[in-house]
């Protein structure tokens, strides 16, 4: 059973004699005791703590209150108690941290905008640098077939291309049907339902075929690249690759970039055909346009240049999606939360870049009348 802390003044102006256990379990009694003694102490009253039993930081704080926060006025019997009282005194004298004023108004909005712009600039610079690193690896390994990792490349072609064919074809087919249905609904009021054929052909050959495919690849393959490389980063496998004298860009990035460069044009072609077939199905079922009439009008009114405009964007989108996915994977810090956040960032950045480049390309081709 511990002895409750006590203190007394033998005579007026004499030292305060502390005894017993000055610990947290007796805090109520010690608080009342110190409050009564502080009315009787002078400016230079000392505290005799040589007879203390146990003491902790709470008891040391009460002793300092009696000594007017001056540890030199406390007499103790051992060094451990002296160090404890000195540490509590230093902690009590430390300047209080200034509370940061919370600003939820105009300045906070401006600060958030500035932080977003700074992050956008940093990501842009990092992406440009990583693209340069990829191009450097291409030039370094192009004439050295023994460095080509064909097994890994073919495996990624299967994952990003062959396995993605059904979902890309289904999505483009459904969107083609929707575009044809909306076009037919609007054009029917003008007696121009037949022009639905041109609407479907132009939209999928120039824009929708490659754009929908790129968005699907960004969400499916780009995120997979980030998760795979990020997991390797978290398990320190990338450091092991460097220890073996290999370049992570050559081993991990190049096969993925090449795989998407091969897969993306094939997926785009499938998406174009599926979208046109979806539009043709709606035209046949709702507009009384026979399949032969649809194909004939599409052949007569749609030139091959629209096809090449769409296909020309596929390799650019593939390269950017692969670069962003791999770059975000290398940014992973090591935790599962980091893998998830960078995977999300990879998808968002890829889709944003794809739509931005597509808009710029549309303006460019319009200006050159292509």
């Amino acid at each position: 059973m511990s002895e409750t802390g006590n203190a007394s003044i033998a005579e007026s102006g004499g030292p305060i004699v502390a005894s017993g256990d000055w610990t947290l379990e007796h805090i109520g009694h010690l608080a009342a005791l110190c409050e009564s003694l502080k009315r009787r102490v002078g400016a230079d009253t000392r505290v005799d703590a040589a007879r203390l039993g146990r003491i902790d930081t709470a008891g040391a704080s009460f002793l300092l209150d009696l000594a007017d926060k001056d540890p030199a006025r406390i007499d103790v019997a051992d060094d451990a108690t002296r160090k404890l009282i000195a540490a509590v005194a230093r902690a009590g004298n430390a300047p209080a941290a200034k509370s940061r004023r919370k600003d939820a108004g105009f300045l906070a909005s401006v600060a958030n905008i500035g932080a977003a712009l700074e992050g956008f600039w940093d990501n842009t610079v990092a992406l440009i640098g990583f693209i340069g690193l990829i191009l450097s690896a291409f030039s370094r390994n192009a004439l050295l077939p023994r460095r080509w990792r064909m097994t890994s490349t073919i495996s990624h072609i299967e994952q990003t291309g062959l396995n993605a064919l059904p979902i890309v074809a289904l999505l483009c087919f459904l969107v083609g049907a929707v575009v044809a249905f909306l076009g037919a609904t609007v054009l029917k009021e003008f007696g121009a339902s037949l022009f639905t054929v041109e609407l479907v052909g132009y939209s999928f050959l120039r824009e929708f075929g490659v754009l929908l495919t790129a968005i699907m690849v960004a969400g499916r393959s780009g995120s997979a690249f980030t998760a795979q490389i990020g997991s390797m980063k978290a398990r320190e496998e990338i450091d092991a690759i460097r220890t073996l004298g290999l370049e992570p860009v050559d081993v991990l990035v190049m096969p993925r970039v090449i795989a998407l460069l091969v897969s993306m044009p094939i997926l785009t072609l499938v998406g174009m055909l599926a979208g046109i077939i979806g539009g043709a199905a709606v035209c046949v079922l709702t507009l009384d346009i026979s399949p032969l009439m649809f194909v004939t009008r599409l052949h007569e009114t749609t030139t091959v240049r629209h096809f090449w405009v769409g296909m020309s964007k596929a390799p650019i989108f593939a390269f950017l999606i692969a670069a962003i996915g791999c770059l975000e994977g290398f940014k992973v810090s090591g935790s599962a939360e980091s893998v998830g956040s960078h995977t999300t960032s990879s998808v968002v950045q890829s889709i944003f870049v794809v739509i931005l480049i597509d808009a710029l390309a549309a303006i460019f081709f319009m200006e050159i009348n292509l």
Side-chain angles (χ1 to χ4, degrees):
M1 187 73 178
S2 61
E3 180 184 354
T4 304
N6 201 357
S8 62
I9 299 179
E11 56 184 12
S12 179
I16 298 175
V17 180
S19 61
D21 294 336
W22 286 54
T23 57
L24 184 62
E25 58 185 312
H26 306 305
I27 188 171
H29 170 72
L30 292 175
L33 180 64
C34 291
E35 187 65 28
S36 64
L37 287 174
K38 285 174 69 175
R39 303 191 189 100
R40 302 167 54 191
V41 299
D44 57 351
T45 301
R46 300 187 66 82
V47 178
D48 183 2
R51 299 178 186 148
L52 284 179
R54 293 185 301 142
I55 185 173
D56 58 12
T57 55
S61 178
F62 284 123
L63 288 178
L64 286 167
D65 284 342
L66 293 175
D68 197 21
K69 305 297 183 182
D70 185 3
R73 290 165 53 185
I74 302 176
D75 300 324
V76 295
D78 58 90
D79 290 338
T81 304
R82 183 179 296 105
K83 291 179 180 179
L84 175 63
I85 294 174
V88 174
R90 287 194 301 270
N93 293 330
K98 294 182 179 179
S99 59
R100 189 173 182 180
R101 184 170 62 90
K102 186 176 181 181
D103 186 0
F106 176 73
L107 293 179
S109 301
V110 174
N112 291 334
I113 294 173
L117 291 176
E118 183 182 9
F120 176 79
W121 174 256
D122 292 342
N123 288 333
T124 302
V125 172
L127 178 60
I128 293 174
F130 193 68
I131 289 174
L133 193 62
I134 295 175
L135 295 177
S136 174
F138 262 119
S139 62
R140 184 174 62 248
N141 298 326
L143 301 179
L144 298 174
R146 60 186 179 85
R147 292 188 178 181
W148 297 353
R149 300 184 177 275
M150 296 304 299
T151 302
S152 178
T153 302
I154 293 174
S155 174
H156 287 300
I157 290 175
E158 179 185 6
Q159 295 173 11
T160 61
L162 183 62
N163 295 343
L165 281 175
I167 185 64
V168 170
L170 177 61
L171 176 67
C172 291
F173 177 87
L174 296 176
V175 173
V178 170
V179 169
F181 182 77
L182 292 177
T185 302
V186 175
L187 294 173
K188 188 176 183 179
E189 299 180 1
F190 303 95
S193 299
L194 191 60
F195 289 100
T196 305
V197 178
E198 286 91 319
L199 174 64
V200 173
Y202 287 178
S203 60
F204 270 88
L205 290 179
R206 294 184 70 98
E207 298 293 337
F208 285 163
V210 64
L211 189 60
L212 291 174
T213 302
I215 292 174
M216 283 299 301
V217 169
R220 185 180 180 279
S221 301
S223 60
F225 291 170
T226 303
Q228 292 164 359
I229 296 178
S231 298
M232 296 179 68
K233 181 78 177 294
R235 294 193 298 263
E236 299 182 354
E237 295 179 18
I238 294 179
D239 294 332
I241 291 174
R242 291 193 178 97
T243 303
L244 294 173
L246 301 174
E247 284 291 336
V249 175
D250 297 343
V251 178
L252 301 177
V253 178
M254 295 299 298
R256 289 171 168 82
V257 173
I258 295 173
L260 268 192
L261 287 174
V262 173
S263 301
M264 188 73 180
I266 299 174
L267 292 175
T268 300
L269 177 61
V270 172
M272 290 176 178
L273 294 176
I276 292 174
I277 292 173
V282 171
C283 291
V284 170
L285 296 176
T286 63
L287 300 179
D288 294 329
I289 298 176
S290 66
L292 180 60
M293 182 185 297
F294 183 93
V295 173
T296 302
R297 183 160 184 85
L298 182 67
H299 176 71
E300 291 176 350
T301 60
T302 306
T303 59
V304 72
R305 63 186 175 89
H306 300 301
F307 169 77
W308 289 117
V309 166
M311 289 298 294
S312 65
K313 293 182 282 189
I316 300 174
F317 290 166
F319 184 83
L320 291 175
I321 291 171
I324 293 173
C326 294
L327 176 60
E328 289 299 314
F330 282 112
K331 289 181 181 179
V332 171
S333 60
S335 63
E337 181 182 1
S338 179
V339 174
S341 63
H342 283 288
T343 301
T344 303
S345 176
S346 169
V347 176
V348 173
Q349 289 185 45
S350 298
I351 294 177
F352 172 77
V353 170
V354 162
I355 295 176
L356 176 64
I357 297 299
D358 185 71
L360 295 176
I363 297 172
F364 172 76
F365 288 127
M366 182 179 64
E367 290 295 327
I368 64 174
N369 295 321
L370 187 61

